[in-house]
Amino acid sequence: PQASATKAITSLTLGRAIQLGHLTMSDLDKPLISFLKDLNPTKLVEGAEKITLHKALTMHGGLSVSSDKWKELQKKPEALKGQGLVQTLLENSGPITSESQSYHYQSPDPIMVMQVLDAVVPGSAKDFINSELFYKLGINNYSWLNDLSGLPKGESGSTMTSRDMIKWGTLVINNGKWNDEQLISSKFLANATSRMTKPTEDWQPDTFNYGYFWYQTDITVGDKSYDATFAWGGGGQRVIVVAELDLTIVITGHDRDDQIMAQIAKTVVPAFVE
């Protein structure tokens, strides 16, 4: 199980949609709701138009629905099918303001990104992921759970082998290319794996930065620093890429306390430094 490392795949899928022309880089700064034609904008919370794909990808969507309210809303699953899930979230959130749009790691942001994917690609998001990413990468032994909308969960729920996890790292090292085909928009991927913002949750180390559902940190070996980008899922799931060393490190396991990253910096990366 990939847990939240799934978010990194959701990000790459959006990059695939951009590469194929279903979205553009400028679309990242447009109101997210403008892509969701089934919404009733008259019922949405004040400021809903302030949420863009860029904001959602960097965990700055600004939605705020209490856990008690969310439990209550889930008692009517029929209202959460398709874009009804976003409609429900945006009807029951607090106002979207510059204050609410600070960094907050939560599920609604990747959920909304997956909704946009489903709205803009041919067919469904599920079929697009399978045919335009997994098939091309030779990944056929996987699963991906659906959320309440019926779409693949944007935030978690995918399962695959460690051998296939390496392929995501290879894509990053090769700037989005696979077998000489540009699968992921290189411009999007550069943003996704860069230092777009600073995570502020207590459990996220101060040395970590955040891009589009990908993390970034510096790993120092001797007097040199290496740029590392990585997908991170709870329980010890990671795809760590150090492009300068042509190195992808894949980890699966149970590491709730995040102790493994210290060993990666202390032992693994130095082993590949000449």
Side-chain angles (χ1 to χ4, degrees):
Q2 298 296 291
S4 285
T6 300
K7 294 180 180 68
I9 305 174
T10 298
S11 175
L12 293 179
T13 307
L14 191 72
R16 179 61 177 156
I18 290 174
Q19 179 63 28
L20 290 174
H22 303 307
L23 287 167
T24 67
M25 290 296 292
S26 62
D27 284 336
L28 299 178
D29 295 315
K30 294 178 181 178
L32 187 147
I33 60 175
S34 67
F35 301 100
L36 304 178
K37 305 304 183 183
D38 294 340
L39 299 183
N40 182 349
T42 65
K43 294 185 177 182
L44 304 183
V45 69
E46 180 182 353
E49 74 285 352
K50 296 179 184 294
I51 305 174
T52 63
L53 279 167
H54 172 80
K55 292 284 189 181
L57 286 161
T58 56
M59 293 294 182
H60 285 71
L63 276 171
S64 57
V65 179
S66 70
S67 57
D68 288 343
K69 184 64 175 179
W70 181 233
K71 288 178 182 177
E72 177 187 335
L73 294 171
Q74 291 181 75
K75 294 178 181 178
K76 297 180 179 180
E78 66 281 356
L80 304 176
K81 297 300 182 184
Q83 294 179 20
L85 177 56
V86 178
Q87 180 80 40
T88 300
L89 288 170
L90 287 174
E91 283 186 20
N92 291 276
S93 171
I96 308 300
T97 65
S98 56
E99 290 75 20
S100 76
Q101 288 193 302
S102 56
Y103 180 91
H104 182 41
Y105 188 91
Q106 59 175 349
S107 296
D109 287 5
I111 285 174
M112 290 188 294
V113 171
M114 184 63 73
Q115 289 274 346
V116 171
L117 273 167
D118 189 69
V120 302
V121 301
S124 67
K126 180 179 180 179
D127 291 341
F128 184 81
I129 291 166
N130 185 62
S131 63
E132 290 297 335
L133 270 184
F134 287 161
Y135 175 77
K136 289 181 176 293
L137 293 171
I139 298 175
N140 49 49
N141 182 18
Y142 78 94
S143 64
W144 197 323
L145 300 176
N146 291 339
D147 69 17
L148 294 169
S149 69
L151 275 59
K153 297 179 71 173
E155 76 280 17
S156 63
S158 67
T159 301
M160 67 190 65
T161 68
S162 55
R163 294 181 299 281
D164 287 333
M165 292 168 70
I166 291 175
K167 296 174 182 179
W168 304 114
T170 303
L171 261 182
V172 172
I173 286 177
N174 292 333
N175 297 314
K177 281 188 176 181
W178 184 263
N179 290 337
D180 295 324
E181 180 182 1
Q182 191 71 45
L183 286 188
I184 311 300
S185 161
S186 59
K187 290 183 178 179
F188 177 86
L189 187 59
N191 284 354
T193 58
S194 67
R195 311 179 191 192
M196 300 290 286
T197 191
K198 174 65 70 173
T200 56
E201 308 286 336
D202 291 342
W203 51 272
Q204 294 168 316
D206 293 338
T207 55
F208 287 6
N209 301 291
Y210 204 67
Y212 287 162
F213 298 156
W214 284 81
Y215 290 87
Q216 185 280 336
T217 193
D218 292 327
I219 295 176
T220 301
V221 180
D223 58 357
K224 185 168 182 179
S225 182
Y226 295 89
D227 186 316
T229 187
F230 60 102
W232 180 14
Q237 324 314 319
R238 284 169 188 78
V239 178
I240 305 167
V241 178
V242 186
E244 185 175 349
L245 299 175
D246 194 26
L247 175 63
T248 295
I249 305 162
V250 163
I251 303 168
T252 60
H254 300 279
D255 180 31
R256 292 289 179 184
D257 296 327
D258 193 44
Q259 297 301 306
I260 195 65
M261 287 301 287
Q263 298 305 316
I264 293 298
K266 180 181 177 181
T267 303
V268 179
V269 173
F272 290 86
V273 176
E274 294 183 358

